[in-house]
Amino acid sequence: MNRTCKTIIKVLGMAGIMMSILTGCGKQASYKAQITDYHDSLFGENTYIFTPEDDPEQVQKILDQLYIKQESNQFGKERYAVYFMPGEYDDDLLVNVGFYMQIAGLGLSPDDTKIPALSCTARWLSDDPSNHNATCNFWRDVENLNIKSNTMWAVSQATAMRRVHIAAGSLKLHDESGWASGGFLSDSLIDGLVDSGTQQQWLSRNCEWKKWSGENWNMVFAGIEDNNAPSGTWPVKKYTNVERVEEIQEKPFLIYDAKKGYQIFVPEDRKDSAGISWKEEIKGTYIDMKDVYVANPSVDTAKSINEALEHGKHLLLTPGIYKLEEPIVVNRENTLVLGMGLATLESTCGQSCLKTADKSGIKICGILFDAGEEKAETMLEVGYDASDNTADKEDPILLSDLFFRVGGAAMHETDVDNCVELKSSHIIGDNFWVWRADHGDGVGWNSNRAKNGIVIDGNYVTIYALMVEHFQEYQTIWNGDYGKTIFYQCEIPYDVPNQKFWKSHDGNVNGYASYFVGENVTNHQAWGLGIYSFNRDAIVELFSAMEVPASKNVKIHNACTVMITGNPGISHIINDKGNSVLTGGAREVICEFENGEILK
């Protein structure tokens, strides 16, 4: 990018939609002409862009500096996106992935960008060198790369590995058998073994591998080719296999083309799928950068972002924390909002961070939502009125890699009614972590207050990998019909002061069910659910982990409860059915539940 164009873009940084007009500057030039000091001014100082032509020692030095800063930066304010231009990189390069780091290739196919090694270890949480605990390895992302060696990806919730090819190597989801509580893998090809080891639970969707090894509490596989799915079935094995993915759209991603410059690729919607999307023909559409508003957290406000959206732009959120004096509002169908580097939205006005109209084809992807200091009803609102939820089933709304946090990173008290409200119909959710913090700053029963995690009022909502934890009442409330969950993970709150503070149904039932399906729901299904209790601060009973209506079309497939520690624990799995878990390590299961009864 030439100096004149850079200067113009900098000057127009606060001018709203005009920035996007200039994004094509220099797009015919070589990589080196566009990138100065490993940055492109279009994406700001928190985005690094490397090319195969760069000095490998200098690239490694920058990557190491980022990792040193981010390895243990659990609640820090820094956010980084690290992109690799298509090509093959030096054989000695190692990419270590820390907190708030997105690592991605800029090719159309993962095999367009080949790096020799990538790793996410778990050795920062304890001074004990033998304690490789990954249960707090949150908020990191790897996408669209070919990795040419064995790869360690020891992570837990709020992470994603998407569209990755582990070439001639294996994938290990733990660090030397240290604890891990993940996680999410999608649209990826692993030439060797996937070793889940100590992972407590995991969802793998639309993947291929040579072999899967490992099980613990709840391992779910969706859209895995028959010859790749692990053998054995629930409850003898902790495996749930959903053979075909009824409908999915992979997350859009940034690419670079030598002739057309930067673009955003939007993969096409797939139905009744198994296996990866990019094996043969790669299908989808392109968004030109002239149609995208590139937001910068140091200069943009909700007002400037909304002006761009009103003028018909898509929105790309470069890495950082956006303090919002009003909600970002998406009113136009088929609008894409895409976060880079765990871009974070925080409301300063007691309103939601982002809300959308009930319009088809909207896509909200790659964002961390943080509760603000002012009390709010919710942080993300999709659709305004559940009675008018008319989104088109042929063009569903897509919500990918969305993470929500109440407390933990806040030096102040936080208070929300819930984190997510889905009022539109025909929504595909893909990888959620909805978290009321159990550790960090601003944490306590009366400090980070939040009744519920997610409330789903729309019909025909399907969510792959729904993880909701520690809320003070129901974790998940599902009121819409024809809902589907494929993989659910939940820990009930650790910090209940005593039983009298934690009773549902007008004080008549001990505890609040984690997964609550409304009494008027007539059709609902869920596969692979794990609900866990850790009575850290008081000994309380959860009468039932799940509450669902007694209907022949409300079906639960493969659910389990686990008592991590404490007593009396969880008394029933669904309604008043299923055995109790009362001692540390106890696990109970249900295979099939329908019409209010356990079938097996």
Side-chain angles (χ1 to χ4, degrees):
M1 182 177 291
N2 63 62
R3 183 176 300 171
T4 302
C5 186
K6 285 184 178 179
T7 303
I8 293 172
I9 289 177
K10 184 175 181 180
V11 170
L12 288 175
M14 298 185 66
I17 60 170
M18 291 303 294
M19 177 188 284
S20 62
I21 297 173
L22 298 170
T23 59
C25 293
K27 66 183 180 182
Q28 301 294 336
S30 69
Y31 296 157
K32 286 290 187 182
Q34 291 210 32
I35 301 169
T36 303
D37 298 328
Y38 309 103
H39 295 291
D40 189 311
S41 60
L42 177 60
F43 303 122
E45 291 299 308
N46 293 329
T47 299
Y48 289 81
I49 302 173
F50 299 116
T51 81
E53 304 165 5
D54 292 329
D55 178 357
E57 292 186 1
Q58 184 62 23
V59 173
Q60 188 67 65
K61 180 180 178 180
I62 293 170
L63 290 170
D64 291 346
Q65 289 172 343
L66 288 175
Y67 184 66
I68 290 169
K69 183 187 296 186
Q70 297 302 108
E71 179 188 11
S72 60
N73 195 14
Q74 182 176 191
F75 295 113
K77 298 182 183 300
E78 294 78 11
R79 307 285 187 270
Y80 296 102
V82 178
Y83 287 104
F84 291 89
M85 287 286 187
E88 191 160 355
Y89 287 76
D90 184 81
D91 286 344
D92 294 326
L93 190 69
L94 169 62
V95 182
N96 285 302
V97 187
F99 283 103
Y100 310 110
M101 291 178 67
Q102 178 190 19
I103 312 297
L106 287 170
L108 183 60
S109 165
D111 289 334
D112 292 339
T113 309
K114 298 179 179 180
I115 64 172
L118 178 141
S119 181
C120 176
T121 61
R123 303 175 186 184
W124 62 272
L125 193 56
S126 171
D127 293 333
D128 181 354
S130 66
N131 184 358
H132 299 172
N133 186 343
T135 57
C136 289
N137 270 11
F138 311 139
W139 305 307
R140 60 198 77 198
D141 173 57
V142 173
E143 301 183 39
N144 202 32
L145 287 167
N146 176 303
I147 304 168
K148 300 189 295 180
S149 61
N150 294 331
T151 300
M152 179 184 292
W153 184 241
V155 297
S156 290
Q157 298 89 349
T159 64
M161 178 175 277
R162 292 178 172 274
R163 204 177 178 88
V164 166
H165 183 188
I166 310 295
S170 295
L171 176 63
K172 185 162 68 171
L173 302 178
H174 59 98
D175 187 341
E176 305 304 329
S177 297
W179 293 346
S181 183
F184 179 83
L185 175 69
S186 75
D187 203 24
S188 292
L189 171 63
I190 294 86
D191 286 359
L193 170 76
V194 180
D195 174 17
S196 68
T198 47
Q199 280 289 351
Q200 293 168 349
Q201 63 276 316
W202 193 272
L203 173 68
S204 298
R205 179 185 58 68
N206 291 97
C207 294
E208 299 179 20
W209 46 64
K210 184 176 182 180
K211 183 180 179 182
W212 178 281
S213 174
E215 58 178 307
N216 206 323
W217 294 342
N218 183 34
M219 319 303 285
V220 179
F221 307 90
I224 309 301
E225 296 282 5
D226 290 342
N227 59 336
N228 295 134
S231 59
T233 56
W234 191 279
V236 176
K237 305 288 283 186
K238 282 82 169 180
Y239 296 155
T240 298
N241 185 26
V242 180
E243 294 183 0
R244 313 291 291 186
V245 170
E246 185 176 340
E247 183 172 18
I248 194 64
Q249 185 174 30
E250 299 298 339
K251 178 183 173 184
F253 55 95
L254 187 69
I255 65 170
Y256 182 87
D257 180 88
K259 293 183 179 179
K260 297 181 179 180
Y262 295 107
Q263 298 174 290
I264 297 174
F265 183 73
V266 182
E268 74 168 9
D269 185 270
R270 292 201 294 163
K271 296 182 179 179
D272 192 36
S273 66
I276 59 178
S277 69
W278 46 272
K279 195 170 188 178
E280 297 175 353
E281 182 181 3
I282 299 175
K283 298 179 180 179
T285 59
Y286 297 85
I287 298 175
D288 195 288
M289 293 304 290
K290 68 180 177 59
D291 298 318
V292 178
Y293 183 74
V294 182
N296 185 318
S298 64
V299 297
D300 273 298
T301 64
K303 182 179 179 180
S304 65
I305 289 170
N306 283 331
E307 286 176 354
L309 290 168
E310 289 171 5
H311 282 80
K313 298 294 184 180
H314 301 279
L315 176 61
L316 187 64
L317 298 166
T318 60
I321 299 174
Y322 294 78
K323 303 280 189 175
L324 303 172
E325 76 286 359
E326 60 185 78
I328 295 173
V329 180
V330 180
N331 282 325
R332 182 174 55 89
E333 64 182 15
N334 295 313
T335 298
L336 169 65
V337 179
L338 178 62
M340 300 168 62
L342 283 296
T344 301
L345 303 182
E346 180 180 336
S347 172
T348 63
C349 63
Q351 299 184 56
S352 58
C353 299
L354 191 153
K355 60 183 182 179
T356 80
D358 186 50
K359 298 291 186 179
S360 299
I362 290 173
K363 298 166 182 54
I364 312 294
C365 307
I367 300 172
L368 170 60
F369 294 78
D370 238 337
E373 191 166 358
E374 299 292 329
K375 177 174 170 47
E377 180 181 339
T378 191
M379 289 192 271
L380 172 64
E381 183 179 353
V382 179
Y384 296 151
D385 187 350
S387 66
D388 187 34
N389 47 19
T390 57
D392 185 358
K393 66 179 181 179
E394 298 303 323
D395 192 10
I397 293 168
L398 175 66
L399 308 172
S400 294
D401 292 348
L402 298 185
F403 312 131
F404 303 83
R405 183 169 63 189
V406 183
M411 299 300 291
H412 50 76
E413 291 187 358
T414 49
D415 193 345
V416 298
D417 287 340
N418 58 68
C419 293
V420 195
E421 294 181 0
L422 304 184
K423 298 179 180 179
S424 289
S425 289
H426 303 292
I427 295 175
I428 297 172
D430 195 36
N431 192 24
F432 283 28
W433 190 39
V434 190
W435 187 57
R436 176 180 167 264
D438 61 276
H439 64 277
D441 290 324
V443 171
W445 190 255
N446 294 312
S447 297
N448 59 327
R449 298 178 295 279
K451 292 179 182 179
N452 312 120
I454 182 170
V455 180
I456 302 152
D457 292 330
N459 299 326
Y460 299 99
V461 174
T462 298
I463 303 181
Y464 302 90
L466 176 58
M467 293 167 260
V468 191
E469 300 193 282
H470 309 310
F471 290 86
Q472 293 171 305
E473 295 185 6
Y474 299 111
Q475 311 298 307
T476 297
I477 299 175
W478 206 302
N479 294 319
D481 259 319
Y482 301 97
K484 294 179 180 178
T485 299
I486 296 88
F487 179 75
Y488 181 75
Q489 181 265 330
C490 176
E491 287 181 353
I492 64 173
Y494 295 169
D495 58 341
V496 179
N498 55 61
Q499 193 75 67
K500 73 177 183 179
F501 283 92
W502 201 51
K503 289 190 174 187
S504 58
H505 297 280
D506 298 322
N508 294 312
V509 176
N510 282 342
Y512 288 83
S514 168
Y515 195 89
F516 180 89
V517 181
E519 62 181 7
N520 294 322
V521 173
T522 61
N523 193 303
H524 183 91
Q525 289 198 73
W527 291 261
L529 302 94
I531 297 166
Y532 320 134
S533 177
F534 175 27
N535 285 338
R536 185 188 66 188
D537 295 350
I539 303 302
V540 294
E541 178 200 20
L542 174 58
F543 180 77
S544 184
M546 302 175 62
E547 290 185 32
V548 306
S551 170
K552 67 178 181 179
N553 291 318
V554 175
K555 304 177 183 180
I556 306 299
H557 315 274
N558 297 1
C560 71
T561 54
V562 175
M563 188 69 227
I564 299 173
T565 188
N567 182 280
I570 304 174
S571 297
H572 302 284
I573 301 175
I574 305 178
N575 300 342
D576 59 354
K577 305 294 193 300
N579 294 331
S580 59
V581 286
L582 302 179
T583 58
R587 177 177 178 271
E588 290 291 339
V589 304
I590 282 176
C591 297
E592 297 290 338
F593 186 92
E594 180 181 343
N595 203 21
E597 298 293 337
I598 299 174
L599 301 186
K600 61 178 180 178

